[in-house]
Amino acid sequence: MMESSLKNVLVLSFGFLLLFTAYGGLQSLQSSLYGEEGLGVTALSTLYGGMLLSSMFLPPLLIKRFGCKWTIVISMCCYVAFSLGNFYASWFTLVPTSILLGLGAAPLWSAQGTYLTIMGNTQAEKAGKVGRDVVNQYFGTFFLIFQSSGVWGNLISSLVFGQTPSQEAIPEEQLLSCGASDCLMATASTNSTQRPSQTLIYTLLGIYTGSGVLAVLLVAAFLEPIKDAQRKREGDEGPPFWSTLLSTFRLLGDKRLRLLVLLPMYSGFEQAFLAGDYTRSYVTCALGIRFVGYVMICFSATNSLCSVLYGRLSQKTGRAALYALGAVTHLCCIIALLLWEPHPRQLAVFFVFSGLWGVSDAVWQTQNNALYGVLFEKNKEAAFANYRLWESLGFVIAFGYSTFLCVNVKLYILLGVLSLAMLAYGTVEYLEAKKAARPAAAEQAKPAEGEETETAM
């Protein structure tokens, strides 16, 4: 039996790997490929807008109606539609398909989480193990395989775009408007010399679409459908839709959650900066589009390694130390990016920045999820729905203003949001520490009170 449940975990993991190989590579290239009138970043902004809307209500509806397996298959088809939309990139193809992808994203991730959790608990029951341990092991396996998708998707894009025959040097005057001084108005026309041939773009999109179709077929053919044993036993249909939606917002009554909305929002801002602005205004502008993939591989690799590492580390150091590491790393990167004038001669520096970005992004990805899970133990679903909601909002805002703000302004915004988020996080940790200290103090005070009442009698 162990074999079959492990088989399902692997099928799911490799399905996601194939799907996100395509999507991850496409997301990194949107801003560089479709710079005209900001089509690429607008598509990404509407994509996360769709995700924001769907995360409010779609997942429970779809999972209840189709079950986990078919929800995953249907959602994956939305991702494939986006790759197809890229073949004829225009406002009429990219924006609708990106909305479709956004709508599919929330059910996809909810179904994946639900599937692995039920799978782990069922397996643990059979093997007489602790449910949580098996679930963690399954999630660990899944993310280890899934995280490498960033590497493969970007590797394919750099290998394909590396085929460009003429690679003339980028003119010095264009280099002056790269980096923090990039205001987009100047580079709209100059970058056309660096655009890869349409044949190469079609080759890349063909590979990506094939990868996505393969993912759909793999999951449809080999993933076993699963029944939620616990629900069946209680004869419970799950809470009705409106109560799910309301519980998401009701949780905002918790002061701690109100303080913590900035963390997921910052996570959206910083990922959007890397995917939309760093790739275009630093890498494509100064090195050419064929380097985007290689630079993003460096981010994906450090991100994956650190994610594994922090899981081990957090048990020894506690989460506050990791948050400090993430914040300081990002702080240094942001200040350095403001001062740095990118030049092809400093090739290594482009990789150092994306690597360091991966080191601190891994803190937000691993610790924010753990923090929400621990603080809102009783309302996990509502807490994670809130997390996705605010993170998507961060993406929407950041990709949204991406078209009309200078890069240095975006970096100042990142600096401001990071500072506020850390201030709010510190406040929550302080409140938690005080709350932990209070019961202990109350315990010591109790016997004394008891004696007083006796004397009063």
Side-chain angles (χ1 to χ4, degrees):
M1 187 56 213
M2 180 62 200
E3 282 67 52
S4 102
S5 65
L6 191 62
K7 182 209 83 170
N8 285 319
V9 174
L10 291 175
V11 167
L12 191 63
S13 307
F14 281 102
F16 270 68
L17 174 63
L18 287 167
L19 188 71
F20 281 87
T21 290
Y23 172 64
L26 274 177
Q27 178 176 312
S28 307
L29 293 170
Q30 288 297 307
S31 64
S32 300
L33 275 181
Y34 315 118
E36 306 85 47
E37 296 158 35
L39 171 60
V41 280
T42 309
L44 290 175
S45 188
T46 51
L47 189 154
Y48 284 97
M51 199 193 284
L52 199 154
L53 287 174
S54 83
S55 62
M56 289 188 204
F57 57 87
L58 261 185
L61 291 181
L62 282 181
I63 293 173
K64 197 190 276 185
R65 180 80 189 75
F66 298 106
C68 284
K69 173 181 172 169
W70 294 107
T71 300
I72 291 171
V73 173
I74 294 165
S75 303
M76 282 182 162
C77 291
C78 298
Y79 277 74
V80 178
F82 181 65
S83 319
L84 290 173
N86 274 268
F87 273 98
Y88 299 98
S90 71
W91 291 92
F92 302 109
T93 53
L94 270 190
V95 174
T97 51
S98 68
I99 292 173
L100 193 64
L101 189 154
L103 290 177
L108 180 73
W109 285 105
S110 294
Q112 172 265 344
T114 311
Y115 189 94
L116 285 182
T117 307
I118 295 171
M119 197 46 122
N121 285 327
T122 317
Q123 178 54 36
E125 224 167 276
K126 289 201 180 95
K129 292 181 181 153
V130 183
R132 197 178 50 216
D133 295 345
V134 182
V135 172
N136 280 343
Q137 185 193 329
Y138 283 175
F139 271 99
T141 310
F142 174 85
F143 276 107
L144 196 65
I145 296 171
F146 164 76
Q147 288 278 15
S148 69
S149 66
V151 175
W152 306 122
N154 288 311
L155 182 63
I156 294 168
S157 95
S158 277
L159 289 175
V160 171
F161 285 157
Q163 308 296 310
T164 314
S166 63
Q167 305 202 325
E168 66 257 41
I170 293 175
E172 287 293 324
E173 60 269 24
Q174 187 189 315
L175 289 173
L176 292 176
S177 64
C178 291
S181 51
D182 182 8
C183 282
L184 309 184
M185 315 312 156
T187 57
S189 54
T190 44
N191 260 354
S192 55
T193 49
Q194 301 304 124
R195 194 183 166 83
S197 71
Q198 204 53 46
T199 321
L200 285 181
I201 294 176
Y202 282 152
T203 306
L204 182 66
L205 292 174
I207 296 170
Y208 281 164
T209 307
S211 179
V213 170
L214 207 58
V216 173
L217 294 175
L218 178 73
V219 171
F222 297 108
L223 193 71
E224 287 168 29
I226 196 166
K227 292 279 181 285
D228 190 343
Q230 287 163 314
R231 278 228 174 125
K232 262 207 320 246
R233 217 170 299 146
E234 295 154 11
D236 169 28
E237 272 297 287
F241 154 63
W242 287 112
S243 77
T244 323
L245 182 60
L246 281 172
S247 66
T248 303
F249 291 105
R250 204 178 298 128
L251 199 55
L252 283 168
D254 189 325
K255 183 181 176 184
R256 297 171 309 169
L257 186 64
R258 286 202 303 277
L259 282 167
L260 288 179
V261 296
L262 280 173
L263 275 182
M265 220 161 148
Y266 176 70
S267 161
F269 273 100
E270 55 92 9
Q271 288 176 77
F273 178 82
L274 188 75
D277 299 302
Y278 186 68
T279 53
R280 178 186 50 201
S281 303
Y282 288 84
V283 184
T284 299
C285 187
L287 298 175
I289 195 167
R290 64 184 190 283
F291 277 99
V292 169
Y294 294 135
V295 170
M296 292 300 277
I297 285 173
C298 188
F299 167 76
S300 291
T302 52
N303 203 325
S304 307
L305 289 174
C306 289
S307 297
V308 177
L309 186 70
Y310 295 156
R312 305 265 160 80
L313 260 181
S314 63
Q315 292 153 8
K316 293 190 174 61
T317 60
R319 55 175 184 247
L322 286 178
Y323 273 109
L325 170 76
V328 170
T329 309
H330 257 167
L331 197 66
C332 297
C333 283
I334 293 167
I335 294 168
L337 284 172
L338 277 166
L339 303 173
W340 180 45
E341 291 167 5
H343 196 282
R345 280 194 303 267
Q346 312 156 317
L347 187 61
V349 185
F350 290 89
F351 290 90
V352 170
F353 276 117
S354 68
L356 287 174
W357 210 265
V359 168
S360 45
D361 179 66
V363 174
W364 314 130
Q365 300 319 318
T366 57
Q367 299 310 300
N368 287 354
N369 278 310
L371 182 68
Y372 269 64
V374 171
L375 291 183
F376 309 106
E377 182 88 59
K378 306 258 190 314
N379 313 70
K380 268 206 187 66
E381 285 79 12
F384 286 125
N386 259 300
Y387 182 78
R388 285 231 175 77
L389 192 97
W390 294 104
E391 186 177 46
S392 305
L393 189 63
F395 274 112
V396 172
I397 296 170
F399 281 129
Y401 65 52
S402 184
T403 45
F404 53 83
L405 291 181
C406 296
V407 173
N408 56 3
V409 179
K410 294 173 195 167
L411 284 164
Y412 288 129
I413 293 173
L414 274 186
L415 208 57
V417 179
L418 174 63
S419 312
L420 285 173
M422 283 298 109
L423 209 65
Y425 165 71
T427 311
V428 171
E429 285 289 16
Y430 172 70
L431 291 174
E432 285 297 296
K434 230 165 79 171
K435 202 166 80 183
R438 214 176 295 134
E443 284 300 313
Q444 289 161 350
K446 257 189 197 135
E449 277 168 20
E451 286 155 23
E452 270 167 33
T453 46
E454 270 178 286
T455 51
M457 297 283 277

